[in-house]
Amino acid sequence: MTPQEKTKVVLLACGSFNPITNMHLRMFELARDHLEDTGRYQVVRGIISPVGDAYKKKGLIEACHRVEMARLSTENSSWITVDDWESQQAEWVETAKVVRHHYTELILAEKNHDQVDTVKPVKRRRLEEIEDVCQSSSADHNRSDAPELKLLCGADLVESFDRPNLWKPEDIVEIVGRYGLVCITRSNSDAEKFIYQSDVLHKYRKNIHLVKEWVTNDVSATHIRRALRRGQSVRYLLPDCVVDYIQDQRLYSAESEEKNTDVILAPLQRYTKNTD
Amino acid sequence: MAGRIPLILLACGSFNPITHQHMRLFELARDHMHQTGLYQVVGGIVSPVSDGYAKQGLVSSKHRLAMARLGLQSSDWVAVDEWESQQADWTETVVTMRSPSHSGLGHLLREEMTRSSLAETKHRYHYNRAAEKRWPSTKDTPLDRPSASGPSQLKLLCGADFLETFKVPGLWRAEHIEEVVGHFGLVCVSRSGLQLEQAIHESDLLYKHRHNIFLVHEWIRNEISATEVRRALRRGLSVKYLVPDSVIRYITEHNLYTQDSELKNKGAKLRPLTKQTVLD
């Protein structure tokens, strides 16, 4: 396959990034290596989309800081970028909507014969126009030269699909069926079994790329916040520039960890209301 | 922090190449030793092994030193010492520990660092920066502040697998273990404290010096190893975020880790095994 014949892929990662860690960045590298190794894909871009403050997760600090840390940490990457659209929305936005938004932007960019990596913010009117086109048929999606957009995630996201009131079933179908997942899993993970046991995931299993992470690396943002609260070093778990930013801005303290304590997570609030 | 014992941490190993995990060990060890309330960590030293070690896949010390220096450029307290790597033959860890450049005196160490231009400039520069920057809650680490007093101690910083090497026949001489653990002391970072405690329990020698062995628990599992990094590089896979960017650039420029480089010393006996057999 020549590079022209390969399917272009853009990887989108959604999450708190509170703060971004080397592990988050590693996931992009692992996913790209894996997809390109199939010989069928060319990964042209990665997008980090930090969640908005309205998500109401415990200890979630302001989006502006989370976006800035993600920006700093991707300065040395030739292909990973940060997008603040999701983080700027006043309300929490369903992941399916975030995926749709980014796909629309890609299609727009393609129509404008732009390079994928120069996607610019576009006007809302035209955006909505295109959004209608995108939603009308998935055949368009297959025919066009536009890149595919895939959601990059850890096994925990897939496993959260069956948690009550966290996801709308039709959103799962849209994300997995229409776009696809690239899921980083531990060498001892049961992600395959989980997919097998879910009818909807099994149906779209060809759209789920499992990437084995052979070298276990448990760096989590939760761990990093804990270490910071305790005055312990977090160096080499996240980029130096982010460590410096955290110190300069004095982020992550016992107080910041208390944020949203006893507040119900936005998706749970929304869906519990709907079903009751 | 007055009255604390100034402490220097020395890490010996291949550093083939240096990874974030190596650098992480120093951070974990320093935090732990400060929490004992007894020590003030005044410096860290990375001492890459000599080419004479004859380990499979070991690239030239020239490169390993250069990479370690690049990787530690942003550290305000860990520096590279080339003494061990410059010896024609492999030197026992205990000999490295006795070597004049780390002979237990903080001011000597700092003079040594002065001679290696990189270390000292960054030492001063970063120290001042770090001192300004530190959080109010943790303003406890000044390097040159005379808060810690008396002669510095030197302890060997190691990973969990290190204690296991004591059991490998022919790898260590008993009197060397005695000196490393008894005279100097170990700071040992491990994911599983139990494994370490068991190793100490099972060895009379280690048990005898158990108070000189500091166990540091690493709560997050991190299996980044130089072996894995070399494996990924041979296969053309990304090692970004496992190894500092500057080190990746150096590896690419010098085309360091390939199928061929991994065959180096293949089938050769590890130097400690041959050297010490001859002595015995």
Coordinates of all heavy atoms in Angstrom, one line a residue, chain A residues 22 25-26 29 33 76-77 214-219 223 228 231-237 240 244 246-248 250-252, chain B residues 20 23-24 27 31 35 72 74-76 129 133 135-136 138 219-224 228 236-242 245:
Chain A
N22 N 2.6 11.5 31.5 CA 3.4 10.8 30.5 C 2.6 9.6 30.0 O 2.7 9.2 28.8 CB 4.7 10.3 31.0 CG 5.8 11.5 31.0 OD1 5.6 12.5 30.3 ND2 6.9 11.3 31.7
L25 N 0.3 10.6 27.2 CA 1.0 10.9 26.0 C 1.5 9.6 25.4 O 1.5 9.4 24.2 CB 2.2 11.8 26.3 CG 1.7 13.2 26.9 CD1 2.9 13.9 27.6 CD2 1.2 14.0 25.7
R26 N 1.9 8.6 26.2 CA 2.3 7.3 25.8 C 1.3 6.6 25.0 O 1.5 5.9 24.1 CB 2.6 6.5 27.0 CG 3.9 5.7 27.3 CD 5.0 5.8 26.4 NE 5.3 4.5 25.9 CZ 5.9 4.3 24.8 NH1 6.4 5.3 24.1 NH2 6.2 3.1 24.4
E29 N 1.3 7.4 21.4 CA 2.5 6.7 20.7 C 2.2 5.3 20.5 O 2.4 4.7 19.4 CB 3.7 6.9 21.5 CG 4.2 8.3 21.8 CD 4.7 9.0 20.5 OE1 5.5 8.4 19.8 OE2 4.4 10.2 20.3
D33 N 1.8 3.5 16.7 CA 2.6 2.4 16.3 C 1.7 1.2 15.9 O 2.0 0.6 14.9 CB 3.6 2.0 17.4 CG 4.8 2.9 17.5 OD1 5.1 3.6 16.5 OD2 5.5 2.8 18.5
N76 N 6.4 19.5 22.3 CA 7.5 18.7 21.7 C 7.0 17.5 20.9 O 7.8 16.7 20.5 CB 8.5 18.2 22.7 CG 9.4 19.3 23.2 OD1 9.7 20.2 22.5 ND2 9.6 19.3 24.5
S77 N 5.7 17.5 20.6 CA 5.2 16.4 19.8 C 4.9 17.0 18.4 O 4.4 18.1 18.2 CB 3.9 15.8 20.4 OG 3.3 14.9 19.4
W214 N 2.7 -3.7 26.8 CA 3.5 -4.8 27.4 C 4.2 -4.3 28.6 O 4.5 -5.0 29.5 CB 4.5 -5.4 26.4 CG 3.7 -6.2 25.3 CD1 3.5 -5.8 24.0 CD2 3.1 -7.5 25.5 NE1 2.8 -6.7 23.4 CE2 2.5 -7.8 24.2 CE3 2.9 -8.4 26.5 CZ2 1.8 -8.9 24.0 CZ3 2.2 -9.5 26.3 CH2 1.6 -9.8 25.0
V215 N 4.6 -3.0 28.6 CA 5.4 -2.5 29.7 C 4.4 -1.7 30.6 O 3.9 -0.7 30.3 CB 6.4 -1.5 29.2 CG1 7.3 -1.0 30.3 CG2 7.3 -2.2 28.1
T216 N 4.1 -2.3 31.7 CA 3.1 -1.8 32.6 C 3.6 -0.4 33.2 O 4.7 -0.3 33.6 CB 2.7 -2.7 33.7 OG1 2.3 -3.9 33.1 CG2 1.6 -2.1 34.6
N217 N 2.7 0.5 33.1 CA 3.0 1.8 33.6 C 1.7 2.4 34.2 O 0.8 2.7 33.6 CB 3.4 2.7 32.4 CG 3.9 4.0 32.8 OD1 3.6 4.5 33.8 ND2 4.8 4.6 31.9
D218 N 1.7 2.4 35.5 CA 0.5 2.8 36.2 C 0.4 4.2 36.6 O -0.4 4.6 37.5 CB 0.4 1.9 37.5 CG -0.2 0.5 37.2 OD1 -0.8 0.4 36.1 OD2 -0.2 -0.3 38.1
V219 N 1.1 5.1 36.0 CA 1.1 6.5 36.3 C -0.3 7.0 36.1 O -0.8 7.0 35.0 CB 2.0 7.3 35.4 CG1 1.9 8.8 35.8 CG2 3.4 6.8 35.5
H223 N -2.8 9.5 41.2 CA -1.6 9.3 41.9 C -0.8 10.5 42.0 O -0.2 10.9 43.0 CB -0.8 8.1 41.3 CG 0.6 8.0 41.9 ND1 0.8 7.3 43.0 CD2 1.7 8.6 41.6 CE1 2.1 7.4 43.4 NE2 2.6 8.2 42.5
L228 N 1.4 15.2 44.9 CA 1.6 16.6 45.0 C 1.0 17.2 46.3 O 1.7 18.0 47.0 CB 0.9 17.3 43.8 CG 1.6 17.2 42.5 CD1 0.7 17.6 41.3 CD2 2.9 18.0 42.4
G231 N 3.4 16.7 49.0 CA 4.7 17.4 48.8 C 5.8 16.4 48.3 O 7.0 16.7 48.4
Q232 N 5.4 15.3 47.6 CA 6.4 14.4 47.1 C 6.6 14.7 45.6 O 5.8 15.4 45.0 CB 5.8 13.0 47.2 CG 5.7 12.5 48.6 CD 4.8 11.2 48.8 OE1 4.1 10.9 47.9 NE2 5.0 10.6 49.9
S233 N 7.8 14.3 45.2 CA 8.2 14.6 43.8 C 7.4 13.8 42.8 O 7.0 12.6 43.0 CB 9.7 14.2 43.6 OG 10.0 14.1 42.3
V234 N 7.0 14.5 41.7 CA 6.3 13.8 40.6 C 7.1 13.9 39.3 O 6.7 13.6 38.3 CB 4.9 14.4 40.4 CG1 4.0 14.2 41.5 CG2 5.0 15.9 40.1
R235 N 8.4 14.3 39.5 CA 9.2 14.4 38.3 C 9.4 13.1 37.6 O 9.4 12.1 38.1 CB 10.6 14.8 38.8 CG 10.7 16.3 39.0 CD 12.1 16.8 38.8 NE 12.2 17.4 37.5 CZ 13.1 18.3 37.3 NH1 13.9 18.7 38.2 NH2 13.2 18.9 36.1
Y236 N 9.4 13.3 36.2 CA 9.6 12.1 35.3 C 8.3 11.3 35.2 O 8.3 10.3 34.5 CB 10.8 11.3 35.7 CG 12.0 12.1 35.9 CD1 12.6 12.0 37.2 CD2 12.5 12.9 35.0 CE1 13.8 12.8 37.4 CE2 13.7 13.7 35.2 CZ 14.3 13.6 36.4 OH 15.4 14.4 36.7
L237 N 7.2 11.7 35.9 CA 5.9 11.1 35.7 C 5.1 11.9 34.7 O 4.2 11.4 34.1 CB 5.2 10.9 37.0 CG 5.8 10.1 38.1 CD1 4.9 10.1 39.3 CD2 6.0 8.7 37.6
D240 N 8.6 17.9 32.4 CA 9.2 18.9 33.3 C 8.4 20.2 33.2 O 8.2 20.8 34.3 CB 10.6 19.1 32.9 CG 11.5 18.0 33.3 OD1 11.1 17.2 34.2 OD2 12.7 18.0 32.9
D244 N 6.8 22.3 36.3 CA 7.1 23.7 36.6 C 5.8 24.5 36.7 O 5.6 25.3 37.6 CB 8.0 24.2 35.5 CG 9.4 23.6 35.6 OD1 9.7 23.0 36.7 OD2 10.2 23.8 34.7
I246 N 2.7 23.5 37.4 CA 2.0 23.2 38.6 C 2.6 23.9 39.8 O 1.8 24.4 40.6 CB 2.0 21.6 38.8 CG1 1.1 20.9 37.8 CG2 1.5 21.3 40.2 CD1 1.2 19.4 37.8
Q247 N 3.9 24.0 39.9 CA 4.5 24.7 41.0 C 4.3 26.2 40.9 O 3.9 26.8 41.9 CB 6.0 24.3 41.0 CG 6.3 22.9 41.3 CD 7.6 22.6 41.8 OE1 8.5 23.4 41.8 NE2 7.8 21.3 42.3
D248 N 4.5 26.7 39.7 CA 4.3 28.2 39.5 C 2.8 28.6 39.9 O 2.6 29.6 40.6 CB 4.5 28.6 38.1 CG 6.0 28.6 37.8 OD1 6.8 28.6 38.7 OD2 6.4 28.6 36.6
R250 N 0.8 26.8 41.7 CA 0.3 26.2 43.0 C -1.0 25.5 42.8 O -1.9 25.7 43.5 CB 0.2 27.2 44.1 CG 1.5 28.0 44.2 CD 1.7 28.7 45.5 NE 3.0 29.2 45.6 CZ 3.5 29.9 46.6 NH1 2.7 30.2 47.6 NH2 4.7 30.4 46.6
L251 N -1.0 24.6 41.8 CA -2.2 23.8 41.6 C -2.1 22.5 42.5 O -1.1 22.2 43.0 CB -2.2 23.3 40.1 CG -2.2 24.4 39.1 CD1 -2.2 23.8 37.7 CD2 -3.3 25.4 39.2
Y252 N -3.2 21.9 42.7 CA -3.4 20.7 43.4 C -2.9 20.7 44.9 O -1.8 20.5 45.2 CB -2.6 19.5 42.7 CG -3.1 19.4 41.3 CD1 -2.3 19.6 40.2 CD2 -4.4 19.0 41.1 CE1 -2.7 19.5 38.9 CE2 -4.9 18.8 39.8 CZ -4.0 19.1 38.7 OH -4.5 19.0 37.4
Chain B
H20 N 13.4 7.3 32.1 CA 12.7 8.1 33.1 C 12.7 7.3 34.4 O 12.7 7.9 35.5 CB 11.3 8.4 32.6 CG 11.2 9.6 31.7 ND1 10.3 9.7 30.7 CD2 12.0 10.7 31.7 CE1 10.5 10.9 30.1 NE2 11.5 11.5 30.6
M23 N 15.7 7.9 36.6 CA 15.6 9.2 37.2 C 14.6 9.3 38.3 O 14.7 9.9 39.3 CB 15.4 10.2 36.1 CG 16.7 10.4 35.3 SD 16.5 10.6 33.5 CE 15.5 12.1 33.4
R24 N 13.5 8.5 38.1 CA 12.4 8.4 39.1 C 12.9 7.8 40.4 O 12.5 8.2 41.5 CB 11.4 7.6 38.4 CG 10.0 7.6 38.9 CD 9.3 8.9 39.0 NE 8.4 8.8 40.1 CZ 8.1 9.8 40.9 NH1 8.6 11.0 40.7 NH2 7.2 9.6 41.9
E27 N 14.2 10.4 42.7 CA 13.2 11.2 43.3 C 12.5 10.5 44.4 O 12.3 11.1 45.5 CB 12.2 11.6 42.2 CG 12.7 12.4 41.1 CD 13.2 13.8 41.5 OE1 12.4 14.5 42.2 OE2 14.3 14.2 41.0
D31 N 12.8 11.6 48.5 CA 11.6 11.9 49.3 C 11.6 11.0 50.5 O 11.3 11.4 51.6 CB 10.3 11.6 48.5 CG 9.9 12.8 47.6 OD1 10.5 13.9 47.8 OD2 9.1 12.6 46.7
Q35 N 11.9 11.9 54.6 CA 10.8 11.6 55.5 C 11.3 10.9 56.7 O 10.6 10.9 57.7 CB 9.7 10.8 54.8 CG 8.8 11.6 54.0 CD 8.0 10.8 53.0 OE1 7.8 9.6 53.1 NE2 7.5 11.5 51.9
L72 N 19.9 14.0 32.4 CA 20.0 14.6 33.7 C 20.2 16.2 33.7 O 20.3 16.8 34.7 CB 21.0 14.0 34.6 CG 20.7 12.6 35.0 CD1 21.9 11.8 35.6 CD2 19.5 12.5 36.0
S74 N 18.2 18.4 33.2 CA 17.2 19.2 33.8 C 17.1 18.9 35.3 O 16.2 19.5 36.0 CB 15.8 19.0 33.2 OG 15.5 17.6 33.4
S75 N 17.9 18.0 35.8 CA 17.8 17.8 37.3 C 18.7 18.7 38.0 O 19.8 19.1 37.6 CB 18.3 16.3 37.6 OG 18.4 16.1 39.0
D76 N 18.2 19.2 39.2 CA 19.0 20.2 39.9 C 19.8 19.5 41.0 O 20.5 20.1 41.8 CB 18.1 21.3 40.5 CG 17.0 20.7 41.4 OD1 17.1 19.5 41.7 OD2 16.0 21.4 41.7
R129 N 17.1 28.5 41.3 CA 15.7 28.4 40.7 C 14.8 27.6 41.6 O 13.7 28.0 41.9 CB 15.8 27.8 39.3 CG 15.6 28.8 38.2 CD 15.7 28.1 36.9 NE 14.5 27.8 36.3 CZ 14.2 26.6 35.7 NH1 15.1 25.7 35.6 NH2 13.0 26.4 35.2
K133 N 11.4 28.5 43.8 CA 10.2 28.0 43.3 C 9.5 27.1 44.2 O 8.3 26.9 44.1 CB 10.6 27.1 42.1 CG 10.3 27.7 40.8 CD 10.5 26.6 39.8 CE 10.5 27.2 38.4 NZ 10.8 26.2 37.4
W135 N 7.5 25.0 46.9 CA 6.3 25.3 47.6 C 6.6 25.6 49.1 O 7.6 25.1 49.6 CB 5.4 24.1 47.6 CG 4.9 23.8 46.2 CD1 5.3 24.3 45.1 CD2 3.9 22.9 45.9 NE1 4.7 23.8 44.0 CE2 3.8 22.9 44.5 CE3 3.0 22.1 46.7 CZ2 2.8 22.1 43.9 CZ3 2.1 21.3 46.0 CH2 2.0 21.3 44.6
P136 N 5.8 26.4 49.7 CA 6.0 26.7 51.1 C 6.1 25.4 51.9 O 6.9 25.3 52.9 CB 4.8 27.5 51.5 CG 4.1 27.8 50.3 CD 4.6 27.1 49.1
T138 N 7.2 22.6 51.2 CA 8.4 21.6 51.0 C 9.7 22.4 50.9 O 10.5 21.9 50.1 CB 8.2 20.8 49.8 OG1 7.9 21.6 48.7 CG2 7.0 19.8 50.0
W219 N 4.7 3.0 44.8 CA 3.3 2.6 44.8 C 2.7 2.4 43.4 O 1.8 1.7 43.1 CB 2.4 3.6 45.5 CG 2.7 3.5 47.0 CD1 3.5 4.3 47.7 CD2 2.2 2.5 47.9 NE1 3.5 3.9 49.0 CE2 2.7 2.8 49.2 CE3 1.4 1.4 47.8 CZ2 2.5 2.0 50.3 CZ3 1.1 0.6 48.9 CH2 1.7 0.9 50.1
I220 N 3.3 3.1 42.4 CA 2.8 2.9 41.1 C 3.7 2.0 40.3 O 4.9 2.1 40.3 CB 2.9 4.2 40.2 CG1 3.5 5.4 41.0 CG2 1.6 4.5 39.6 CD1 3.7 6.5 40.1
R221 N 3.1 1.0 39.7 CA 3.8 0.1 38.9 C 4.4 0.7 37.7 O 3.7 1.4 37.0 CB 2.9 -1.1 38.5 CG 3.6 -2.4 38.7 CD 2.5 -3.4 38.7 NE 2.9 -4.3 37.6 CZ 2.0 -5.1 37.1 NH1 0.8 -5.1 37.4 NH2 2.4 -5.9 36.1
N222 N 5.7 0.5 37.5 CA 6.3 1.1 36.4 C 7.4 0.2 35.9 O 8.4 -0.1 36.5 CB 7.0 2.4 36.8 CG 7.5 3.2 35.7 OD1 7.8 2.6 34.6 ND2 7.6 4.5 35.8
E223 N 7.1 -0.4 34.7 CA 8.0 -1.5 34.3 C 9.0 -1.0 33.2 O 9.5 -1.8 32.4 CB 7.2 -2.7 33.8 CG 6.5 -3.4 34.9 CD 5.6 -4.5 34.5 OE1 5.5 -4.7 33.3 OE2 5.1 -5.2 35.4
I224 N 9.1 0.3 33.0 CA 10.0 0.8 32.0 C 11.4 0.3 32.4 O 11.9 0.6 33.4 CB 10.1 2.4 32.0 CG1 8.7 3.0 31.8 CG2 11.0 2.9 31.0 CD1 8.7 4.5 32.0
E228 N 13.5 -3.0 27.8 CA 12.3 -2.7 27.0 C 12.5 -1.6 26.0 O 12.0 -1.6 24.9 CB 11.1 -2.4 27.9 CG 10.6 -3.6 28.7 CD 10.1 -4.7 27.9 OE1 9.7 -4.5 26.7 OE2 10.1 -5.9 28.4
G236 N 11.7 -0.4 15.8 CA 11.2 0.8 15.2 C 10.0 1.4 15.9 O 9.3 2.1 15.3
L237 N 9.8 1.0 17.1 CA 8.6 1.5 17.8 C 9.0 2.8 18.7 O 10.2 3.0 19.0 CB 8.0 0.5 18.8 CG 7.6 -0.8 18.1 CD1 7.1 -1.9 19.1 CD2 6.4 -0.5 17.1
S238 N 8.0 3.6 19.0 CA 8.2 4.8 19.7 C 8.6 4.6 21.2 O 8.1 3.7 21.8 CB 7.0 5.7 19.7 OG 7.0 6.7 20.7
V239 N 9.6 5.3 21.6 CA 10.0 5.3 23.1 C 9.7 6.6 23.7 O 10.2 6.9 24.8 CB 11.4 4.8 23.3 CG1 11.6 3.4 22.9 CG2 12.4 5.7 22.6
K240 N 9.0 7.5 23.0 CA 8.8 8.8 23.5 C 8.0 8.7 24.8 O 7.1 7.9 25.0 CB 8.0 9.6 22.5 CG 8.2 11.1 22.6 CD 7.6 11.9 21.4 CE 7.3 13.3 21.8 NZ 8.5 14.2 21.7
Y241 N 8.4 9.6 25.7 CA 7.8 9.7 27.1 C 8.3 8.6 28.0 O 8.0 8.5 29.2 CB 6.3 9.8 27.1 CG 5.8 10.8 26.1 CD1 5.0 10.4 25.0 CD2 6.1 12.1 26.2 CE1 4.6 11.3 24.0 CE2 5.6 13.0 25.3 CZ 4.9 12.6 24.2 OH 4.5 13.6 23.3
L242 N 9.1 7.6 27.5 CA 9.8 6.6 28.4 C 11.2 7.1 28.7 O 11.8 6.7 29.7 CB 9.9 5.3 27.7 CG 8.5 4.6 27.3 CD1 8.8 3.3 26.6 CD2 7.7 4.4 28.5
D245 N 13.4 13.3 25.7 CA 13.5 13.7 24.2 C 14.9 13.8 23.8 O 15.3 13.4 22.7 CB 12.7 15.0 24.0 CG 11.2 14.7 23.9 OD1 10.8 13.6 23.9 OD2 10.5 15.8 23.9

